[in-house]
Amino acid sequence: MTGNMPPNDSDGSGPRSVAVVGAGITGLVAAWELRRRGVNVVLYEASGHAGGAIRTTHADGFLAEHGPNSFVTSPAVESLLQQLHLEEDVVQANPGAKRRYVVRDGRLVPFPLTPSSMLGTSLLSLRAKLRVLLEPLVRTRRQEGDESVASFVRRRLGHEVLDYAVDPFISGIFAGDPETLSMAHAFPRVAALERRFGSLSKGLMMQRRSLAGGESDGGADSMPGDTKGHLMSSAAPVPARLISFVDGMQTLTDTLEASLAGTLRLGCPVRLVHRQEARWLVDAGQDGASRSRLVDAVVMATPAHVLAAMELPASMRACAAPIERVEYPSVSTLTLGFRRQDVAHPLDGFGVLIPAAEQRSLLGALFSSSLFPSRSPDDCVTITCFVGGARQADRAREDADLLVERVLVDLRQLLGVRGEPVFAKHVFWPRAIPQYTVGYQAVKDAADATERQNPGLYLAGNYRNGVSVGDCIASGQQVAERVVAYLARAGS
C-alpha cells in the first residue's frame, strides 16, 4: 500500500524541486520523505531496478536475499513502517534463534552473550579470560590520531579476543579487516567508552546504571549495524526488533518505489551536476536520450565510487576526492537449500561466523530458515553463505560452481552437510560494503566540505552514516530534513 501522498509534479523542475540521485534504500527514503513534505522530487537510478542491494528472489519454494537479510528497528524505522502500512507484512526473527556460533578449532562454539557465559565458554582460553578481567587496569591510549580496531582490541583485551571474538564480527558487519578499519569510525560508541571512562568494562557498567535510572546515554555516536543509536528525541522508547518481511526484504523497497510513482527514472544515469546561478543543473539519461533539468537542490545518494564517473564542478571534484577513494571489497552471497535430513546440525541459532585464523573459504553463514518462516519448503532448510570481503576478495570473484564446491567443503565439516544442495542462488557484489578505514575522518571532512562549498548539494549513504539498513533509512530521513530546511531558508 502506498499511503496518502501529496500530489507531485513529475517533471520535478517547478518551485521547491529536488533531484535525488540513486534509488537504493537511502535515496528511496529521502525521496519519499521529501515528497511527503510537499517537495517536488525526481529520483534517478542508473540501473533497471530500485532498491540497491536489497533484492529478493523466490524460486522452488525457497527465498533468497541478494543483500541484507534483516535489520534492527528504531523509532524512526517503526514510524516509517507505520506510514507505509507495512506492519502486517513485518516478521520478527525467531526469538529462539538468538544464539550466534563462532568456529574455533574446526567446531562451532556458542558466542558468550553474558558475563557468566563468558567465564564458562570454550571459545577463549583461561589466559584470555583473565586478560579480559584485567581490562579495567589497562591504561588509556595517550597517542593522538586514529587507531585500528585490531590495535585497540589487542591493547585493551588481548590478541585472542581479537582473533576469536572481534575478527569474525568484523567480517559479519563490514566483510572487513580489523587491521585496517578505524575504531573511532567503525565503532564510535565503543571507542567513546575508553575516552569517557578510561575502561570498556567501567563504561558499560556506568551506562547500564544510567539506563536503569532512566537516563539517556546521549546517542551521540552510533556504530554501523546498531540502529538503536538513531533515536528521535520526541519519540517514546520503543524496543528494538530484528525484522524482515513475510515476502523478504524487497517488500520494503517495492513499497517505497510504488509510493513514488511518477517520480522514479529507472535506467537513467546522472552524467552531470552543475551549479547554475542559485539552482542546480542535472543532466541524466542514456546516450542520445539525455535530458537536463533545473532543480533547487540535489541529494547524491549513490555509493561513494559513483561520484568518480560523473561530471562535477571543479570545486566539488577537489573536495570529493577522498570520498571517491573509499574502499569496497567484493563479496559473493550463496543461498543454498538442503533437505533437512541432509544437515546434521540443528541450525538452532542466528548463524555462524568464522575467524580468519580458521583459514576457511567462508566468512560466515546465516541459518535463514531458522530465523524467519517461509524461507524454504517444510522439509528443507536454507543456509545463506558469504565469501570474499577484505579477507579473500579474489575468491568472491570465482564462478558459482567453484564457489559452491568450496563452500560445501566447509559446510560438510562444520555443519555435517551431506549430499548436494537442492537449491542454489549466487549473487556477486563487486563493491559490497564501504570500509571505514584508519584515516576515515578525511572522508567525513570531505563530505562536509563538499556540502559547505556547494549550497543545495547533499551527500548521503552508507559510506557516511553507517552501513546497516537502519543506518541508511535514518540517513535518508535526516538528509530530507536538511534539504527541507535549506529550501525554507532559500525561499525566505
Side-chain angles (χ1 to χ4, degrees):
M1 299 177 64
T2 60
N4 295 320
M5 303 300 298
N8 182 67
D9 177 359
S10 62
D11 181 59
S13 57
R16 288 172 51 84
S17 60
V18 176
V20 178
V21 184
I25 184 62
T26 301
L28 285 168
V29 170
W32 183 87
E33 186 66 30
L34 286 166
R35 192 179 184 192
R36 187 177 72 87
R37 292 166 181 252
V39 178
N40 293 326
V41 178
V42 60
L43 174 59
Y44 297 101
E45 170 55 42
S47 73
H49 66 88
I54 298 178
R55 295 194 74 184
T56 306
T57 292
H58 298 264
D60 303 324
F62 290 91
L63 185 154
E65 299 287 9
H66 296 204
N69 282 252
S70 61
F71 64 108
V72 178
T73 63
S74 66
V77 169
E78 296 284 4
S79 175
L80 176 66
L81 295 176
Q82 291 174 7
Q83 291 168 330
L84 293 174
H85 306 294
L86 284 175
E87 299 98 323
E88 293 185 2
D89 296 284
V90 169
V91 56
Q92 289 188 229
N94 178 4
K98 293 181 179 179
R99 180 177 294 178
R100 268 77 164 169
Y101 288 99
V102 176
V103 173
R104 175 143 197 182
D105 300 328
R107 63 187 185 88
L108 273 65
V109 180
F111 187 84
L113 299 176
T114 63
S116 59
S117 62
M118 190 276 288
L119 293 175
T121 183
S122 60
L123 184 64
L124 300 174
S125 68
L126 177 59
R127 182 174 182 177
K129 295 172 187 176
L130 291 173
R131 180 70 172 78
V132 171
L133 292 174
L134 293 173
E135 188 273 336
L137 303 180
V138 177
R139 293 181 180 180
T140 57
R141 182 172 182 254
R142 296 182 179 180
Q143 182 180 352
E144 295 295 327
D146 212 348
E147 183 179 21
S148 72
V149 171
S151 172
F152 180 95
V153 176
R154 271 195 296 262
R155 180 170 57 79
R156 297 218 62 88
L157 298 166
H159 71 86
E160 195 174 330
V161 171
L162 171 64
D163 290 345
Y164 286 97
V166 174
D167 170 86
F169 282 89
I170 292 293
S171 294
I173 298 171
F174 285 96
D177 180 357
E179 298 289 350
T180 61
L181 287 177
S182 162
M183 191 69 197
H185 295 287
F187 300 103
R189 297 180 76 172
V190 179
L193 293 178
E194 182 187 42
R195 292 195 306 271
R196 183 176 176 185
F197 300 102
S199 161
L200 304 183
S201 303
K202 181 180 178 182
L204 289 171
M205 187 180 302
M206 295 298 291
Q207 282 192 345
R208 289 194 188 99
R209 289 178 180 174
S210 295
L211 292 173
E215 299 176 27
S216 169
D217 65 357
D221 294 308
S222 171
M223 70 180 187
D226 180 10
T227 57
K228 289 179 284 186
H230 297 294
L231 298 178
M232 300 185 299
S233 59
S234 60
V238 177
R241 302 185 292 165
L242 180 65
I243 67 166
S244 181
F245 301 90
V246 173
D247 290 325
M249 291 288 290
Q250 193 173 324
T251 298
L252 174 60
T253 52
D254 281 352
T255 304
L256 285 165
E257 179 181 357
S259 72
L260 291 167
T263 70
L264 177 61
R265 308 288 186 268
L266 295 175
C268 193
V270 171
R271 301 174 177 277
L272 177 150
V273 176
H274 271 279
R275 185 80 170 167
Q276 186 166 310
E277 296 180 353
R279 305 185 80 193
W280 286 89
L281 178 68
V282 178
D283 187 82
Q286 302 288 352
D287 292 335
S290 62
R291 180 181 177 186
S292 296
R293 181 176 277 109
L294 273 174
V295 294
D296 297 296
V298 177
V299 175
M300 297 297 299
T302 66
H305 56 81
V306 171
L307 296 176
M310 295 176 57
E311 183 179 335
L312 303 171
S315 61
M316 181 178 174
R317 177 70 68 199
C319 287
I323 301 173
E324 297 171 4
R325 294 193 291 269
V326 172
E327 299 173 22
Y328 287 75
S330 302
V331 172
S332 270
T333 300
L334 279 170
T335 304
L336 302 178
F338 299 93
R339 292 180 298 176
R340 173 66 266 191
Q341 66 191 43
D342 288 339
V343 181
H345 194 278
L347 304 181
D348 55 343
F350 188 92
V352 56
L353 293 168
I354 305 178
E358 293 292 310
Q359 298 183 334
R360 297 275 179 175
S361 295
L362 276 173
L363 293 175
L366 295 176
F367 303 156
S368 302
S369 53
S370 298
L371 274 175
F372 298 109
S374 304
R375 267 42 181 174
S376 66
D378 291 341
D379 59 344
C380 295
V381 295
T382 303
I383 303 173
T384 305
C385 305
F386 303 93
V387 178
R391 186 187 299 176
Q392 295 176 318
D394 291 341
R395 186 153 292 179
R397 300 185 183 94
E398 295 176 342
D399 67 70
D401 290 340
L402 180 55
L403 280 174
V404 170
E405 287 182 18
R406 291 189 186 279
V407 166
L408 282 177
V409 171
D410 288 345
L411 295 182
R412 295 190 201 287
Q413 295 175 1
L414 298 174
L415 300 179
V417 169
R418 300 178 296 272
E420 298 297 315
V422 297
F423 172 83
K425 175 65 179 179
H426 171 231
V427 179
F428 171 58
W429 297 103
R431 295 186 176 96
I433 303 172
Q435 302 295 289
Y436 291 12
T437 53
V438 171
Y440 206 76
Q441 188 61 45
V443 176
K444 294 188 173 182
D445 289 345
D448 292 342
T450 299
E451 291 185 347
R452 282 196 307 270
Q453 296 187 26
N454 297 275
L457 181 70
Y458 295 87
L459 305 179
N462 64 358
Y463 67 88
R464 192 170 186 189
N465 298 309
V467 301
S468 74
V469 173
D471 291 327
C472 291
I473 290 173
S475 179
Q477 293 169 326
Q478 291 161 7
V479 77
E481 291 179 2
R482 295 167 61 209
V483 170
V484 168
Y486 168 77
L487 294 175
R489 293 194 302 271
S492 61

